Amino acid sequence: MLLMFGVFAVLFYKDGSTGYRKKNESFYLQKTFQIANEQFAKMNAGNSLSPEDWKRHAEKQFATFPEDHSVLPADLQLPMPWPAILHDYNRMKPLQWNFLWQEYSREKMLDANVEHSYDAGQIHEQWIVFGVCSVLAAIAAFFLLRTVNRSISADGEAVTTQQGKRVPFTDLKTLDLRKWDTKGLAFIDYDGNSGKGRIRIDGLTYGGFKKENDEPAERLMRQIRAHFSGEIIEYAAISKSEPQDQASGPA
């Protein structure tokens, strides 16, 4: 969970801070290449446009960007004159602006295939989701740090809890296994010289049930049951021949 929310937070931060703004730069520059192509075609309709006339016209033009500069990269210098490649009469004459754009975008390391722009609201949404993911990642980190160095174990005399407290097997009174097979949870009530309380065993947190690791949680439970002499509560197995009203009961 920590990894997942952490990755999401980084991705949304990137989009909110620079990603969507860089995509907007690419989108509007691509439109500028299209506009330049249309203007060249119009001015050269009678094949009378000279390289000098086109250059003079191109030098006076600026890239088309939205009035809201907050949706653009902070370091983008505005107003931006047309890129030099659009001033070149011979390059423009074939009216293949898309090839010129591909060349320019590679040179400037821009995304050549941005299909739409992103408004301020969409950029703001990235920051909101980044905040949510950051909070969830922080919560996941808290629980990870809380459990990473904690363990529960059993030897021949006692159970050592997550808090480091040793509870002798003679103090253990009830072992509740009703959620062990379905959720990996067991509860042990104890009362004696070690005090009175309940031990919660979360098999998924403390060991796990992976067969390739020899099922540490199951090994722990076998160790506890081997020395446990109190009452065990678990669901009884149901025989197909038994009536339904005799499905379960304490063992």
Side-chain angles (χ1 to χ4, degrees), residues 61 146 165:
Q61 307 305 309
R146 185 182 177 187
K165 181 177 183 177

Side-chain angles (χ1 to χ4, degrees), residues 65-72:
F65 288 109
E67 293 182 2
D68 184 2
H69 294 170
S70 70
V71 301
L72 300 171

Side-chain angles (χ1 to χ4, degrees), residues 30 33 83-86 88 90-92 96-113:
Q30 184 178 7
F33 274 68
I85 195 172
L86 298 180
D88 191 326
N90 292 322
R91 302 293 302 276
M92 292 293 297
Q96 296 180 333
W97 68 268
N98 52 322
F99 290 115
L100 299 182
W101 166 243
Q102 294 287 337
E103 178 182 331
Y104 178 81
S105 60
R106 281 196 303 271
E107 178 185 341
K108 299 297 183 179
M109 293 185 292
L110 296 171
D111 188 342
N113 301 300

